[in-house]
Amino acid sequence: MVYGAIEAGGTKFVVAVGEKSGKIIKRESYPTTEPAETMKAVIQFFKQYEDELKAIGIGSFGPIDIRKSSATYGYITQTPKLAWRNYDIVGAMKKEFNVPIGFTTDVNAAALGEVSLGAAAGLDSCIYLTIGTGIGGGAVVSGIILEGFSHPEMGHIMVRRHKRDRFTGSCPSHSDCLEGLAAGGAIEKRWGQKAVELADNEEVWNLEAHYIAQALMNYTLILSPERIVLGGGVMKQRQLFPLIRQKLKALVNNYVQLPDLDEYIVPPKLEDDAGITGCVLLAVDAEKSN
Ligand code: ADP
Ligand code: ZN
């Protein structure tokens, strides 16, 4: 008896089968090219386990359609990756495998992974924010993934500009939203160098923390999560953590009593496995609620 997991990313698809506990038994990864090619590999992987497969959990890059009543439920929708735009990923799996399928965003899956088995284990709620090529966030409260008419888009909130920041912002929809000012892509455009090459430039990380701290203040005041896990390539710059904590403390200004900041703002414990582990757990949930 195994649970299938698909972490559908813009660069690669990670697939796995795991146990009910979330433990991964076997995994593979395939480059994200176009649906016909990538999904063929994905389907072949799960065919090996067809007899024991109980359910599948898919955590996908987005935006995606998660409204069960919608005609395009299970689709990847407005993605800039044209080959995947309006692609029915849940349908493609349903056609091949007669098992319950759970479907959510990659970051919601990562939040589920971290709150179940990672840096927020034992707590009731957490937010997972990835700061990578773009910025995205997901939240889990009492074991339930937070969704509404759609899924949260925590990367596209508005933040106050730093007065010395002259960069116009790189978000195609909002220019200077959080993602437009603080994602890895924005850092690269503003400074003309890859984020990793700017590791020793203090100004870069102070500015980065200026924006991330504002976002965390907003998430904190709106959702009051018990922990916020910050992942993604940019957060590999570990010097950001103390800077973000300091700036968040200053912004909140004792208005609410925050948890101990060293425990409140933390890196992922499952590291790069947060998403795929969350997808296994999503499959477990899909079987239960079926
Ligand atoms: P993706 O968001 O595409 O899934 P990542 O989370 O790895 O993938 O994020 C990629 C972004 O993170 C790029 O903008 C890259 O420049 C940046 N990045 C990757 N590694 C580092 C690092 N060690 N330090 C700073 N930035 C990094
Ligand atoms: Zn935006």
Side-chain angles (χ1 to χ4, degrees):
M1 201 168 84
V2 297
Y3 294 86
I6 305 175
E7 186 187 17
T11 0
K12 65 177 194 289
F13 270 52
V14 181
V15 294
V17 288
E19 295 172 1
K20 199 169 202 157
S21 66
K23 185 170 174 244
I24 304 222
I25 301 165
K26 173 88 178 136
R27 84 167 71 205
E28 292 290 343
S29 107
Y30 312 109
T32 308
T33 55
E34 43 187 83
E37 188 177 18
T38 306
M39 292 306 290
K40 189 172 165 209
V42 168
I43 287 161
Q44 267 172 7
F45 173 81
F46 289 113
K47 284 289 175 191
Q48 306 169 72
Y49 300 95
E50 200 164 16
D51 298 339
E52 354 160 37
L53 197 63
K54 299 292 284 181
I56 297 170
I58 306 175
S60 174
F61 66 97
I64 61 176
D65 189 347
I66 55 157
R67 291 166 304 164
K68 289 254 165 70
S69 60
S70 161
T72 52
Y73 169 78
Y75 282 52
I76 296 172
T77 58
Q78 283 306 312
T79 169
K81 293 188 88 65
L82 292 181
W84 294 84
R85 191 171 279 184
N86 300 318
Y87 178 67
D88 180 10
I89 186 166
V90 170
M93 294 304 291
K94 270 238 162 317
K95 221 160 70 189
E96 299 287 339
F97 303 95
N98 184 26
V99 295
I101 297 182
F103 184 52
T104 194
T105 58
D106 45 4
V107 278
N108 272 337
L112 184 61
E114 287 292 335
V115 82
S116 309
L117 298 169
L123 300 178
D124 197 51
S125 58
C126 93
I127 285 180
Y128 180 93
L129 191 74
T130 179
I131 304 164
T133 309
I135 299 183
V140 175
V141 182
S142 302
I144 295 178
I145 288 172
L146 190 71
E147 294 174 341
F149 70 88
S150 181
H151 49 80
E153 282 287 1
M154 299 191 191
H156 295 268
I157 62 171
M158 305 313 284
V159 286
R160 280 189 199 153
R161 278 175 160 284
H162 192 286
K163 41 183 186 312
R164 285 194 301 278
D165 188 7
R166 296 281 166 257
F167 179 57
T168 51
S170 62
C171 175
S173 305
H174 320 110
S175 303
D176 58 356
C177 64
L178 176 68
E179 177 173 297
L181 291 171
I187 297 177
E188 209 171 313
K189 280 207 182 115
R190 178 189 290 108
W191 303 95
Q193 261 178 295
K194 285 203 173 304
V196 69
E197 291 159 4
L198 295 159
D200 296 329
N201 186 333
E202 273 180 34
E203 199 187 347
V204 171
W205 307 109
N206 272 312
L207 185 63
E208 185 67 10
H210 168 84
Y211 291 124
I212 297 171
Q214 291 184 60
L216 300 195
M217 159 131 163
N218 293 337
Y219 307 146
T220 295
L221 297 180
I222 293 170
L223 286 178
S224 200
E226 287 163 293
R227 194 156 288 173
I228 300 180
V229 182
L230 300 180
V234 172
M235 291 310 302
K236 301 238 157 94
Q237 298 297 320
R238 288 295 197 251
Q239 72 274 28
L240 273 171
F241 280 91
L243 293 174
I244 292 167
R245 290 181 190 122
Q246 258 165 37
K247 289 183 200 289
L248 175 62
K249 185 170 191 301
L251 282 174
V252 173
N253 195 20
N254 287 321
Y255 184 71
V256 288
Q257 205 60 50
L258 295 174
D260 175 350
L261 286 174
D262 290 339
E263 291 182 20
Y264 186 49
I265 308 296
V266 297
K269 192 169 165 195
L270 302 176
E271 312 219 359
D272 295 337
D273 280 356
I276 195 71
T277 302
C279 291
V280 174
L281 296 169
L282 191 65
V284 175
D285 284 350
E287 191 208 9
K288 269 193 226 148
S289 60
N290 189 48

